[in-house]
Amino acid sequence: MSSKGPTLTINSKTLLGETTPDGFNRTKRKYARLFLWLTSLLLLTSHPLLSLVTSTCAVYTMHGGTWFSHKNFKWMTASIISFCISLYSLTLSVESNFVDEERAYELKAVLEMKHRAAEMIWGGILLLCLGLTVKEQIDGVVARSGSMVVEKNKKQT
């Protein structure tokens, strides 16, 4: 007697990357959102180098997913924009550190204002998008639990 455990079938489409296992893209989006949460918090607290690292991780996480999925496209776009904003902010921050405050105070102030504005605006937008995603997940759980209660009440009557 031989016991058969779970089997994994691999065909040529799987090897060529034409199909993906169940939950593959969902897992990539979950990790990308985690990196984007960190990116938004780091942008809001003015840590452009660390936000550049976390947004790079988000882009790298999403690059292997399905490109023609609207969900993947949305989070890949957010990751790329976060990377660009973080790089822009880091560049302006470093440039403002090289400016002499006594000779070019206005230039230094403008550079600092631009990098903080970019960080605050994109960090806030990103935080809003991520917060709405959490709200959608909560609404889905509430709807499913509400339908379970209705079904349970129907069975009892």
Side-chain angles (χ1 to χ4, degrees):
M1 264 168 81
S2 66
S3 63
K4 288 212 165 203
T7 60
L8 175 66
T9 58
I10 298 176
N11 57 23
S12 62
K13 288 184 177 182
T14 304
L15 292 175
L16 294 174
E18 294 177 13
T19 60
T20 57
D22 292 338
F24 177 76
N25 288 313
R26 183 177 13 154
T27 304
K28 287 193 168 292
R29 286 191 301 271
K30 183 176 83 172
Y31 285 119
R33 282 194 304 265
L34 173 69
F35 287 125
L36 289 173
W37 274 105
L38 291 171
T39 301
S40 66
L41 295 175
L42 289 167
L43 282 172
L44 290 173
T45 58
S46 190
H47 292 93
L49 181 60
L50 294 175
S51 70
L52 183 66
V53 170
T54 57
S55 61
T56 304
C57 290
V59 170
Y60 183 74
T61 301
M62 287 303 298
H63 92 281
T66 305
W67 281 83
F68 298 113
S69 163
H70 72 281
K71 292 178 184 177
N72 287 3
F73 182 74
K74 175 175 67 171
W75 294 112
M76 181 58 135
T77 303
S79 301
I80 291 171
I81 293 172
S82 296
F83 175 79
C84 292
I85 293 291
S86 297
L87 186 61
Y88 173 76
S89 178
L90 180 63
T91 303
L92 290 181
S93 177
V94 169
E95 288 174 358
S96 73
N97 290 338
F98 285 116
V99 173
D100 185 19
E101 193 169 332
E102 292 180 10
R103 289 185 175 178
Y105 178 75
E106 290 179 18
L107 177 62
K108 186 174 183 80
V110 167
L111 289 173
E112 288 180 2
M113 183 179 65
K114 281 185 176 182
H115 98 266
R116 278 306 291 152
E119 288 174 342
M120 296 297 285
I121 291 169
W122 179 248
I125 290 171
L126 190 57
L127 204 57
L128 178 67
C129 291
L130 291 164
L132 289 174
T133 301
V134 171
K135 182 194 175 296
E136 288 175 9
Q137 291 172 351
I138 291 171
D139 289 346
V141 169
V142 169
R144 284 191 300 272
S145 65
S147 65
M148 287 179 182
V149 169
V150 170
E151 288 177 16
K152 185 178 178 183
N153 288 339
K154 284 182 181 179
K155 287 181 182 179
Q156 289 177 353
T157 57

